[in-house]
Amino acid sequence: MNIQRAAESRINTIDFQNIGFGQHISDHTFDVVFSNDSWGEGRIKPYGAMHHGLGLHALHYGQAVFEGMKAYRQDDGHVAVFRPDANWARLSRSGSRLLIPEISKEIFMEGLLELLRVDEAWVPTGEDMSLYIRPFLFGSSEFITARPSEEYTFAILTGPVGAYYAQPVKVKIEDHYTRAASGGVGYTKAAGNYGGAFYATAQAQKEGFNQVLWTDHVEHAYLEEAGTMNVAFVLDGVLVTPALTDRILAGITRDSILTLARSWGMPVEERKVSVHELQEHASKGTLQEAFGMGTAAVVSPIDGIGYQGKMMDVPAPQDGVAQRVKKTLADIRHGRAEDVHGWMVRI
Ligand SMILES: *Cc1c(COP(=O)(O)O)cnc(C)c1O
């Protein structure tokens, strides 16, 4: 691997006490190019402009997929990444649906681990802090014909982040716009899925909500995801989450939380969840918790769910399931609890 180090680090320009989310990018990036049917040599270089003309394929035809994961500073000072193999597998699934050539697990892991070693100082210390990692893969040929790109670029950026949604959020059950349809690309982290969701989210925000609670594309009767997070409910003591379909992104946080809950002996159901069922539980008082699950926020408690002008209030207890999984995941990530599932990879 070719490694070119920055002449000077930018780390002293960062206020780690007020870090925000997604505002800062670390000193170095990793990238590797696919051309003539094979991946070339990976390189690490200082973060900066990329040299592509305006004919860049991904900008016109959207062959672009990404991942999101985090590295943590453990209590003994070591740095460990949470489940990077699962992110690699999902990047391959996303890429395959968009006809993007697969990046081997070896190139992905070597690039990732070497980049983290070079920028290790950027991994912050602190309970809610981590280094966000953004691997992405896009068509990088330059031509303007609607056909697949011939060249592709895989790259990784990182940046230190703090807590995402610190407060419980209010979500609006969306009964008009659709994020994903059957047979489409909803289960992939395709860039266009996010571009297509911003408008509906902005409408919900004008009405005072933080996020959209997406429903199925046919009847708008079944719940799917909360913004860019999977969603779960505690209904009369049972942890219930929509079953995965090709319209739902298979979150690694979702999978980890279901694994933890099952290991505690908590009843878990992956199935369809209708708006009607939620309303019934809300009126009986058995809608005990609702929360989003995703890498950025980990667990994002929901304390209000709006539907057609009415608000269902949801408790966001400090001693509930959401807070328990959040604390358990934090303990595993920071090396305080035994990593029985083998989720952490030290750099
Ligand atoms: C990334 C993402 C999630 C959460 O996935 P994690 O692997 O837990 O980060 C859920 N839904 C959508 C639409 C996403 O893009």
Side-chain angles (χ1 to χ4, degrees):
M1 191 180 311
N2 182 318
I3 302 181
Q4 185 200 334
R5 285 179 186 264
E8 213 181 324
S9 175
R10 288 179 282 103
I11 199 163
N12 293 325
T13 66
I14 310 296
D15 174 5
F16 278 90
Q17 301 311 310
N18 294 294
I19 200 129
F21 196 97
Q23 304 303 310
H24 304 290
I25 296 176
S26 315
D27 284 331
H28 299 88
T29 60
F30 171 81
D31 73 70
V32 54
V33 173
F34 178 94
S35 61
N36 300 317
D37 291 324
S38 69
W39 290 98
E41 192 195 354
R43 60 186 173 170
I44 288 176
K45 60 180 200 293
Y47 175 75
M50 54 174 202
H51 298 284
H52 287 292
L54 293 176
L56 182 70
H57 188 278
L59 297 179
H60 300 269
Y61 302 113
Q63 266 182 306
V65 295
F66 67 92
E67 270 304 322
M69 58 182 157
K70 284 175 171 174
Y72 298 82
R73 177 77 59 188
Q74 300 199 309
D75 285 359
D76 65 2
H78 281 95
V79 169
V81 196
F82 186 72
R83 305 189 69 180
D85 47 329
N87 292 89
W88 168 77
R90 190 170 62 193
L91 185 69
S92 296
R93 289 200 299 277
S94 296
S96 143
R97 177 64 179 78
L98 276 92
L99 206 67
I100 296 175
E102 175 166 274
I103 181 109
S104 71
K105 193 170 181 182
E106 288 66 39
I107 300 178
F108 180 95
M109 290 303 293
E110 273 173 37
L112 171 69
L113 296 179
E114 198 54 41
L115 181 64
L116 292 176
R117 289 181 198 118
V118 170
D119 278 337
E120 201 204 308
W122 286 81
V123 183
T125 304
E127 188 59 28
D128 277 334
M129 293 171 85
S130 57
L131 188 77
Y132 185 75
I133 302 166
R134 165 56 55 82
F136 56 111
L137 191 45
F138 61 97
S140 50
S141 287
E142 293 177 33
F143 59 74
I144 45 168
T145 318
R147 61 180 167 86
S149 188
E150 287 158 13
E151 181 189 296
Y152 294 86
T153 299
F154 171 68
I156 310 178
L157 303 177
T158 73
V161 297
Y164 194 65
Y165 289 125
Q167 298 301 316
V169 296
K170 300 214 183 317
V171 297
K172 175 193 171 185
I173 295 178
E174 181 58 62
D175 61 356
H176 178 70
Y177 298 107
T178 294
R179 192 191 83 88
S182 295
V185 297
Y187 70 96
T188 71
K189 276 184 121 68
N193 286 345
Y194 306 84
F198 291 152
Y199 183 82
T201 308
Q203 298 301 112
Q205 285 169 349
K206 274 189 203 151
E207 295 167 34
F209 296 95
N210 303 88
Q211 263 303 346
V212 164
L213 187 50
W214 298 106
T215 52
D216 70 281
H217 61 305
V218 178
E219 300 172 74
H220 294 296
Y222 295 94
L223 304 167
E224 305 227 302
E225 299 203 51
T228 58
M229 292 181 290
N230 294 112
V231 68
F233 306 94
V234 180
L235 303 176
D236 207 5
V238 181
L239 182 61
V240 181
T241 187
L244 296 177
T245 65
D246 65 358
R247 302 185 305 271
I248 295 182
L249 198 290
I252 295 160
T253 315
R254 173 189 184 279
D255 179 73
S256 308
I257 289 173
L258 298 187
T259 301
L260 288 177
R262 287 184 173 120
S263 77
W264 298 334
M266 184 171 183
V268 173
E269 291 176 6
E270 296 178 70
R271 58 170 173 80
K272 284 183 158 188
V273 186
S274 69
V275 179
H276 179 73
E277 179 183 2
L278 217 55
Q279 288 171 319
E280 300 262 281
H281 279 285
S283 67
K284 280 192 297 182
T286 47
L287 172 53
Q288 293 157 325
E289 279 183 71
F291 53 91
M293 311 178 279
T295 295
V298 186
V299 168
S300 184
I302 294 168
D303 66 357
I305 303 176
Y307 183 62
Q308 298 184 339
K310 289 208 188 84
M311 186 71 97
M312 291 177 245
D313 293 320
V314 190
Q318 284 304 313
D319 56 353
V321 178
Q323 296 304 329
R324 183 173 176 201
V325 291
K326 186 173 180 181
K327 174 157 191 318
T328 305
L329 281 173
D331 286 347
I332 294 171
R333 288 163 166 167
H334 291 283
R336 292 188 287 260
E338 200 194 335
D339 179 18
V340 289
H341 305 287
W343 285 338
M344 304 309 296
V345 175
R346 285 195 168 193
I347 70 169

